Amino acid sequence: MAPYWLLSPFLLLFLVFGLFPIGFSFFLMFQAWDPVQGLSSMTYVGLENIAFAIEDPLVWLSLKNTLWLAIVSGLPQHLVAIPMAYFINEFLGKWRNAAMGAYFLPYITSTVAIAIMFSSLFSTDYGVVNVVLTHMSEWPLVGWLFPGANVDWLGQAETIKPVVAMVVFWRYVGFNVILYVAAMQGIPRDLYEAGRMDGASNLRLFWHITLPQLKPMMYFGTVLSVVGGLQLFEEPFILTGGRGGLEYSGMTTAMYMYRTAFEFNDFGLASAISWFLFIIIALLTWLTNRAFKDRTGAA
Amino acid sequence: MKALSKSFQRASYMSKRLVALSIALAAISAQAADVTVTVAAFPAVDEIVKAAALKWEQKNPGVKVKVISRAYADHHTAMTTSLATSSDLPDVMAIEYGYLGRFAQSGGLVNLSTLDARLDQQLKSLVPYAVAQGTFEGFGQVAIPTDIGPGALFYRKDLLDACGASEKDLISSWDGYLKTGDCIKAKTGAALMPHARDIKDIVIRAGVKAGEGVYFDANGKSVVGTAPRFQQAFELAKQVRERGLDAKINAWSNEWGEAFKRGTVASQMMGAWLGGHLANWLAPDTAGKWRSANLPNQAYASWGGTFYAVPQKAENKKEAWALIQYLTQDVAQQQAALEKFNAFPALVQAQEGASFNAPIAFLGGQSARAQWRESALKIVPTKVFKHDAVAEEILNAELDQVLLRGKSVAEALKDADRMITRRARR
């Protein structure tokens, strides 16, 4: 019995906070339930919640926003993190750990603090971003590239998503840098030495040795980005005041699900949306898996 | 050895007596404070209750008050969860008006008339529209108001003076309000209001018949597509945007506060409590420049308000009700909440006296509270529905389409009505 006793704290916590909510949300998907009326007020409605979610234009709009944000904030994370990790690993020497720490800092900073900071930076009339941009618009020759008037970054539909994507990128790029530096440290040095003896430049070493060796970590990092990107909640929630911004342009599916449950008190519909999101995440994770599979079938 | 054993026995006997004594003492002290009334509230209601609890505990020996404070949204989320699971429910629940419809019709709150046969008498002492807001068909009086938010128009007197206009010009009609806004814009560059949505919010609330909701009729059917006030509200908001009279700023944003500080917005329609926010933290340096007036076009509306309720599963209903009575019926307590926290009293008797009618320095020495009291009496009680929040959300999204994408008002209202009806069926 001893092993079971030793495992029981984890099992108990997993059952209560892991398995039960999953099962309960699956059950709720087929119920109409206004939570404030208590557990006894649930009524079975069959597939009604799912049908409503499929016909709800906000579900599709939020999904479109989520995919946009996942790609625009996720892809650059890796495109920037890999060369940056290479640079840190190969050229920074004793400053390597300090640089990694600096890039990792946003990841462990409170999301609320980050969102408040960026809200101030992107403030229309008093934000530093607009002050700098309008100043740059007065530069000769290149001035036309920058806006002459203040941009309402978080108040107009066209700019909300890019701002949210930028904040998400800024926050998670350091995490990916750490992943890739760790993977690079596992690449045998003799591969590089052999390359150098053959007269390969740094670029060729990166392209022909580092990149192929990073593939398993790229797979891991991409899966994390896909799952995290599709569950995006905190950054857009705080930056758009919890409502998704003008024309819902910053409302992600996770945000809409939360609002459906806790603002509109419709837990059945919220559960249907959550399972809808789960299916999409599972599908995209499977596609990522397929994309990273080599000819031998190993990821 | 024997001596040691004896002394050990004596020590053991002594320690047993000490344990027994301490248990008895604990029992006595437990008896002295055997009831703890828990109150779940949000800022600044939590502070009001904490301040009141000290006096109330003195008057009610043996009863303690424990206040559970949470941020505004967290509090209502926590209460939703507690009602859902019937667990961790407080004895007294503070509810903001926006959440009242959802919570009241849950069946999880006590009809207060079952706790006190003289409830009707006590309700007569409170502002009628707020009492009506706490009454729900089939559920009775499930919530009792403690503070109210009669709507007012706060405006910058100096900006109004700059174009030689009077308060009458500003509030006599919607047309007059917008024309004065044109003048202020031309002379000072200041916008008339923070957001075009502000005028929509008040026009849809003005003229609601007693017993009806803002978005639904008495039977819960959407009136967004049929009631003329929605058409007028959208048309006015569109005009505001076209004439450049709004600053396109959302309430409670950084820009909103800055606009008040810098005088780039000339007026704001909101609950009377805004005066306290402006004076305390939004724009204290603009003291003396602001005035309060009735809403334009003889509109009367309420902005929020706080209610107390007792959950069905509360453990100490009797004591909870006694505390609520103190919080809502005691004149000194209600006036203290007004003085310290700008909570406008729901108790009519607390809307009297020298301090109530005293001039407010921030408003240039205006005795504005008397004006708010008068307007509170003219507010028609409207019904709240559990789908109000989603209806408001849909309507705001459609208004954005009108203001930003040039969607026609008729089409926007038709779409809003369709979507609200679809939601309300659930």
Side-chain angles (χ1 to χ4, degrees), chain A residues 49 123 247 256 259 263, chain B residues 102 255 393 405 423 426:
Chain A
N49 287 326
S123 167
E247 296 187 303
Y256 184 50
R259 299 195 67 198
E263 282 184 41
Chain B
R102 281 173 265 179
E255 280 76 13
E393 175 82 20
R405 305 281 176 229
R423 277 278 181 170
R426 292 179 60 78

Side-chain angles (χ1 to χ4, degrees), chain B residues 30-272:
Chain B
Q31 216 173 11
D34 52 358
V35 177
T36 301
V37 180
T38 51
V39 182
F42 50 88
V45 185
D46 54 352
E47 294 298 326
I48 291 172
V49 178
K50 274 179 198 164
L54 296 172
K55 282 186 185 171
W56 191 71
E57 282 173 351
Q58 283 171 1
K59 288 181 188 172
N60 296 272
V63 189
K64 292 267 172 217
V65 177
K66 183 183 166 196
V67 180
I68 303 165
S69 303
R70 291 188 188 91
Y72 173 77
D74 291 345
H75 164 78
H76 291 99
T77 304
M79 292 304 103
T80 302
T81 315
S82 294
L83 285 167
T85 53
S86 298
S87 62
D88 290 327
L89 281 158
D91 295 310
V92 177
M93 187 189 284
I95 306 174
E96 213 280 330
Y97 175 66
Y99 286 85
L100 191 59
R102 281 173 265 179
F103 286 9
Q105 293 172 74
S106 69
L109 304 177
V110 172
N111 180 354
L112 298 171
S113 63
T114 61
L115 297 180
D116 193 333
R118 297 171 300 118
L119 179 71
D120 283 349
Q121 284 301 315
Q122 293 173 38
L123 293 177
K124 280 180 189 158
S125 63
L126 301 168
V127 172
Y129 88 84
V131 171
Q133 284 177 334
T135 318
F136 291 83
E137 214 175 293
F139 300 97
Q141 190 76 39
V142 291
I144 192 162
T146 180
D147 63 64
I148 57 171
L153 173 76
F154 288 90
Y155 68 92
R156 284 280 295 257
K157 175 91 167 45
D158 54 333
L159 299 180
L160 196 67
D161 289 345
C163 70
S166 68
E167 184 178 295
K168 202 179 159 201
D169 296 328
L170 197 65
I171 65 167
S172 57
S173 66
W174 289 119
D175 190 41
Y177 181 52
L178 298 196
K179 273 188 182 147
T180 312
D182 288 332
C183 174
I184 291 172
K185 177 92 185 168
K187 298 270 183 191
T188 69
L192 179 63
M193 64 188 80
H195 201 284
R197 198 183 301 124
D198 294 349
I199 199 165
K200 179 271 291 177
D201 281 339
I202 178 67
V203 176
I204 62 167
R205 279 170 176 79
V208 178
K209 292 187 191 88
E212 287 193 351
V214 174
Y215 307 97
F216 302 97
D217 66 12
N219 303 317
K221 189 176 173 292
S222 167
V223 292
V224 171
T226 50
R229 55 196 159 92
F230 289 95
Q231 174 90 18
Q232 191 196 5
F234 269 49
E235 295 288 0
L236 280 169
K238 198 177 160 194
Q239 273 191 48
V240 166
R241 179 57 57 88
E242 283 169 357
R243 285 154 78 164
L245 295 179
D246 73 328
K248 301 178 192 169
I249 293 172
N250 289 319
W252 309 107
S253 63
N254 290 341
E255 280 76 13
W256 190 64
E258 279 300 321
F260 289 143
K261 281 191 187 87
R262 297 178 191 221
T264 53
V265 162
S267 73
Q268 172 77 70
M269 292 178 278
M270 218 173 232

Side-chain angles (χ1 to χ4, degrees), chain B residues 304-377:
Chain B
T306 312
F307 293 76
Y308 291 120
V310 179
Q312 290 280 11
K313 296 275 168 71
E315 285 175 12
N316 307 298
K317 292 193 183 77
K318 201 177 104 210
E319 290 79 8
W321 173 241
L323 176 62
I324 291 175
Q325 276 182 303
Y326 176 67
L327 290 166
T328 57
Q329 299 287 322
D330 188 278
V331 175
Q333 157 55 28
Q334 284 262 306
Q335 285 182 336
L338 174 68
E339 292 305 322
K340 280 189 200 156
F341 303 101
N342 282 299
F344 197 82
L347 183 66
V348 177
Q349 223 187 320
Q351 300 172 355
E352 301 285 349
S355 70
F356 186 87
N357 292 309
I360 299 171
F362 184 79
L363 298 174
Q366 193 186 5
S367 298
R369 285 171 185 160
Q371 178 201 91
W372 299 333
R373 175 181 58 205
E374 296 311 312
S375 71
L377 292 173

Side-chain angles (χ1 to χ4, degrees), chain A residues 45-145:
Chain A
V45 291
L47 299 176
E48 196 188 298
N49 287 326
I50 299 163
F52 193 92
I54 289 169
E55 285 173 18
D56 188 351
L58 281 184
V59 168
W60 293 102
L61 178 66
S62 71
L63 197 65
K64 208 172 98 187
N65 291 338
T66 310
L67 288 173
W68 194 98
L69 284 169
I71 293 167
V72 176
S73 70
L75 200 61
Q77 280 176 38
H78 298 272
L79 294 180
V80 170
I82 293 171
M84 197 181 272
Y86 183 68
F87 177 76
I88 288 173
N89 193 44
E90 294 295 320
F91 304 109
L92 281 194
K94 63 175 180 174
W95 294 104
R96 190 173 63 195
N97 287 346
M100 274 163 48
Y103 281 110
F104 194 63
L105 207 58
Y107 181 75
I108 53 167
T109 306
S110 147
T111 318
V112 178
I114 289 170
I116 289 171
M117 185 182 80
F118 277 95
S119 298
S120 303
L121 288 176
F122 283 101
S123 167
T124 315
D125 297 322
Y126 320 108
V128 175
V129 175
N130 275 343
V131 170
V132 171
L133 287 178
T134 46
H135 183 71
M136 285 162 88
S137 72
E138 289 162 13
W139 286 359
L141 298 172
V142 290
W144 60 274
L145 285 167

